[in-house]
Structure formats: structure tokens, C-alpha cells
Amino acid sequence: MAYDYKTVYEKQSAFYQKRPKLKRALVLFNGVATVSFMLAYAALIALTFIYFRGARRYIKTFALPIACLATVTLLRRLIHKPRPYQTSGANITPLLKKTDGENESFPSRHLASAFVIATLFCAYFPWTGIPLYLCSILLAYTRFALGLHYPSDLLFGAGLGLIFGIPSFFI
């Protein structure tokens, strides 16, 4: 059976449309998780300077996420894949519509950032890995459920985050 994005999304959307509190929770989690990953990265930078010494540590803390973000930005500009709710997309009605003029969805910048940050944390503080990866996976589901990304956007973004984060274990 072929995967039909629109049908799957409409079932998700209908579930949340019938439950306004859960819909608000999704929107809230999307914002809170996004800010939390930014704050986590800022904390990681501070912790790197406090607990670790050496240029290699600083380089991996800065260079890997920047390289990941630059790659995602370049791919988004080259590919120009519209968001699912845009007329050239799947023609769905999203639970949350972007209003900032950002019309490129592939790959997901949120997921690439979340996974590279989770992987960096895991390299420095292994016990942080599971909660951060779980939060990243929940963020992926949230971005899909809100109608902001296709699953391929999310998988590719997460994959890029892992690809750019894994070298942190070896640097």
C-alpha cells in the first residue's frame, strides 16, 4: 500500500481539531522545544569553556553545529521544497501555519539542529543522550502533526544532525 501523506495528515489533524487542549499543547511544545534546544546549546558552550580545555573541544562545539546549519540552509535554497500546506505542496490545512515567509521545508532545520545538539551533548555528557534524543523525536512528531513538514523533511534533517554530530565522539 502506497503512503498517502494527505490522508495520514488529515487523520492526525482531525484528532487534534477535536481536542483543542491537545492542539494547544502541540503548538506550545513546538515553541518550548525549539527554545529549549537553543538554551541547551548555549549551556553546552558555557560548560565546554568551564569544564573542558583545548582547541579541539571548542572547535567541535562550534564548528559541527555551524557546518550542519550551513548545509541545511544551502540544501533548502537549492531544493526549494514547499511546505505541505502551500498550494504546490499537499494542499492541507495545517494546525500551525508559518507566517514569517519561510517557505522551504526540506530538510528540517529544527530536526537537524536538535539532533546535532543532542549528539554533541551525548559526546560530552553521555547520560544526557536519551532525554535529548527523545525530545528530538517528539519534536519531529510535533512538526509533522502541525503540518509544517513532510516525513522526508524530518528524517533527512535528523539524519544530517546525526551525520554532523557523530564526529564529536572522535574529535
Side-chain angles (χ1 to χ4, degrees):
M1 185 170 129
Y3 174 76
D4 178 17
Y5 170 81
K6 186 172 183 168
T7 301
V8 172
Y9 177 76
E10 286 175 348
K11 286 180 184 178
Q12 287 288 313
S13 181
F15 175 83
Y16 290 105
Q17 292 291 9
K18 292 177 186 174
R19 296 160 181 87
K21 288 182 181 178
L22 284 178
K23 179 182 169 185
R24 283 193 301 277
L26 266 184
V27 172
L28 179 64
F29 180 78
N30 182 60
V32 168
T34 300
V35 170
S36 295
F37 274 103
M38 288 189 298
L39 293 174
Y41 182 56
L44 182 62
I45 291 170
L47 290 169
T48 300
F49 282 107
I50 293 168
Y51 293 110
F52 302 104
R53 297 286 181 249
R56 286 182 19 211
R57 301 265 187 167
Y58 304 145
I59 289 170
K60 81 177 177 183
T61 303
F62 289 102
L64 296 174
I66 289 170
C68 183
L69 185 59
T71 301
V72 168
T73 301
L74 178 65
L75 286 171
R76 287 167 73 108
R77 289 188 181 164
L78 290 173
I79 296 169
H80 293 293
K81 184 178 179 186
R83 292 190 180 274
Y85 58 80
Q86 295 171 320
T87 56
S88 60
N91 295 321
I92 62 155
T93 302
L95 295 175
L96 177 68
K97 192 170 188 174
K98 299 283 284 184
T99 58
D100 63 2
E102 178 63 57
N103 297 326
E104 298 158 339
S105 70
F106 182 87
S108 170
R109 187 175 17 235
H110 279 78
L111 267 287
S113 298
F115 273 86
V116 76
I117 291 167
T119 306
L120 276 170
F121 256 97
C122 200
Y124 281 114
F125 309 104
W127 52 270
T128 63
I130 292 174
L132 287 173
Y133 285 125
L134 286 175
C135 189
S136 298
I137 291 166
L138 285 173
L139 181 60
Y141 170 76
T142 301
R143 304 287 294 168
F144 167 77
L146 290 172
L148 299 173
H149 287 287
Y150 292 100
S152 59
D153 305 340
L154 300 165
L155 288 172
F156 203 84
L160 280 175
L162 287 171
I163 287 168
F164 280 92
I166 286 173
S168 65
F169 289 97
F170 307 104
I171 295 175

